[in-house]
Amino acid sequence: MPKMRAAQITRPGGPFELVERDIPQPGPGWVRIKVQACGICHSDSLVKEGHWPGLKFPRVPGHEVVGVIDAIGAGVTQWKPGQRVGVGWHGGHCGHCNACLAGDFFGCTVDLKVTGISFDGGYADYLVAPAIAVALVPEELPPVEAAPLMCAGITTYNALRNSSARPGELVAILGLGGLGHLGVQYAVKMGYKTVAIARGADKGPLAKKLGAIAYIDSQDSDPAAELQKLGGAKVILATVTAGDAMSAVQGGLGLNGTLVVVGAAQSMQVSPLGLIMGRRSVKGWYSGTAIDSQETLAFSALTGVRSMNEIYPLEKVAEAYARMESGKARFRVVLTTGN
Ligand SMILES: [Zn+2]
Ligand SMILES: [Zn+2]
C-alpha cells in the first residue's frame, strides 16, 4: 500500500500528530484529490477541540483544500484525473430530501457532510471527497491563492452577492481579518460604496488600499453613528466572532437594511424597535456549495481579489495552527504539501 502524510487529531484538545497512513481509495461517487494547499480556518478548532457534536476521532481537519484529481470512484462522470479542483466546508448532501429538492443543499436533513469533520480533510497529501462537493479551480489561481477562497472567500462573496445591496449602495464590512479583508475586496469589486469597520487606527491604511471609501475605527468612534453620517448601510456584513461588536453596528443600518452574519459569535443583542421602525433585519448566511465555490474562484480570478497569506509546510502544522489561533496572522494561514 502506498503511504501518505496526514496531520490528525486523536482526542478533544489533543495535539496534531503527523502520521503515515495508507493513501485512501475513492468509493462510488467519490474522487481522490492530491492536495497541494489547504487553508487553516478558525472553524478547524471544532475538530481540534472536539466541539462538533458526534465527531469521530482520529480526524484530519481542513476544508480549504486545493489540489489535483488523481483517481475517481465508480459512477463519477463529471471529473477526470488531472483536473485542478478545490473542496470547501460543504462536503456533500443527499440530493433527494425535501431541502435538497428545493435546492437548499445546505439544509440537507439526510446526509449533510462537512469536509474535515464528516470525513478526513486537507491537512494531508491526499483526501477523498464526494464528487458533488468538488469545484473547478481556474488556471490563473495558484493553489496557495485559491485555498483560502474555498471558505473565507466563498463565505464573504456568496453572502454579499445574495444580499439585498445593489451596486452603488453603502455596504459595511465589520472586521478586517481573514474573512474581512476578502469581504472588503469583494464589496469593492461588486461596485458597492464600501466601508470597513475594525478596532484600531492601524488598519485604516489597509482598508483604503483594499478599496474602501472609508474606515471606521470602532475603538475611537461609534460605528453606528458614523455609518448613519454616510447615509446608513444597506448591508453590514459581520465577519467578526464577537457578539458585542455586531450589536454595536446594527444602528448603522439604513431603512430596509440588513445585518448579514457570517461570524459564529455565541450571542448578540438586537434592538426590536430598531428592526421595526426601519424595517431592518438580521440574517445569517451559510457559506455555499460547490457551484458557489466555483463562482467565487472565477470572480476572484476575473477581478484580482486575492487573500493575503502566510504559508507553512504541512510538517509545521502545529506552528501554523497556533499562528492562526493567535489572531496575528496577516491574514490567512495556508499549509502546502509540496505535491
Ligand atoms: Zn472555514
Ligand atoms: Zn438532502
Side-chain angles (χ1 to χ4, degrees):
M1 259 307 209
K3 305 284 185 189
M4 67 167 193
R5 300 166 301 163
Q8 66 181 23
I9 298 291
T10 52
R11 58 184 161 81
F16 283 102
E17 296 170 6
L18 199 64
V19 295
E20 200 177 74
R21 286 191 181 187
D22 293 342
I23 295 177
Q25 294 300 322
W30 289 51
V31 299
R32 185 171 70 211
I33 299 167
K34 191 183 212 180
V35 179
Q36 295 173 313
C38 183
I40 295 184
C41 178
H42 188 262
S43 302
D44 294 338
S45 64
L46 294 166
V47 175
K48 177 85 168 58
E49 304 307 324
H51 289 158
W52 187 266
L55 182 72
K56 290 196 181 67
F57 291 101
R59 185 54 82 220
V60 178
H63 57 266
E64 288 188 340
V65 192
V66 170
V68 177
I69 292 190
D70 90 320
I72 56 171
V76 174
T77 53
Q78 70 270 53
W79 299 112
K80 54 180 190 293
Q83 285 182 301
R84 233 155 53 83
V85 295
V87 195
W89 172 267
H90 188 85
H93 49 272
C94 81
H96 50 70
C97 71
N98 284 350
C100 284
L101 290 177
D104 291 332
F105 303 126
F106 65 88
C108 178
T109 53
V110 174
D111 192 20
L112 182 65
K113 289 192 183 74
V114 181
T115 308
I117 290 181
S118 315
F119 56 90
D120 286 326
Y123 290 20
D125 283 318
Y126 293 85
L127 88 161
V128 288
I132 52 165
V134 169
L136 196 65
V137 176
E139 271 183 16
E140 305 93 295
L141 290 178
V144 165
E145 290 189 5
L149 304 180
M150 296 304 300
C151 179
I154 181 182
T155 298
T156 48
Y157 172 75
N158 208 29
L160 285 170
R161 72 169 176 167
N162 284 290
S163 77
S164 58
R166 292 183 181 183
E169 291 187 314
L170 190 70
V171 167
I173 309 294
L174 174 61
L176 208 44
L179 267 68
H181 90 292
L182 286 165
V184 169
Q185 294 178 66
Y186 286 127
V188 168
K189 295 296 182 185
M190 287 174 186
Y192 301 132
K193 212 196 253 182
T194 306
V195 177
I197 306 168
R199 281 179 304 178
D202 55 316
K203 291 193 175 129
L206 173 75
K208 295 282 174 64
K209 192 180 134 206
L210 296 177
I213 58 141
Y215 173 72
I216 300 172
D217 172 4
S218 61
Q219 281 175 328
D220 184 54
S221 57
D222 172 4
E226 293 302 313
L227 285 176
Q228 288 301 346
K229 278 185 209 164
L230 293 165
K234 190 65 190 287
V235 164
I236 302 174
L237 180 67
T239 70
V240 296
T241 51
D244 54 349
M246 295 186 194
S247 304
V249 297
Q250 62 185 307
L253 289 171
L255 297 180
N256 299 303
T258 307
L259 176 64
V260 180
V261 176
V262 294
Q266 288 284 341
S267 65
M268 64 172 290
Q269 287 202 319
V270 176
S271 158
L273 200 61
L275 298 185
I276 296 164
M277 297 308 288
R279 223 163 61 186
R280 300 175 180 94
S281 54
V282 178
K283 72 180 288 185
W285 192 263
Y286 177 91
S287 61
T289 57
I291 187 64
D292 300 308
S293 292
Q294 213 161 283
E295 288 167 4
T296 300
L297 294 169
F299 185 87
S300 306
L302 180 74
T303 59
V305 172
R306 295 292 187 276
S307 173
M308 298 177 191
N309 303 319
E310 295 183 5
I311 300 160
Y312 290 80
L314 179 62
E315 305 85 71
K316 295 201 171 161
V317 58
E319 200 182 314
Y321 182 86
R323 180 69 178 162
M324 179 282 295
E325 280 276 272
S326 75
K328 291 185 185 130
R330 291 285 173 268
F331 284 85
R332 264 329 235 195
V333 179
V334 180
L335 294 171
T336 53
T337 58
N339 291 327

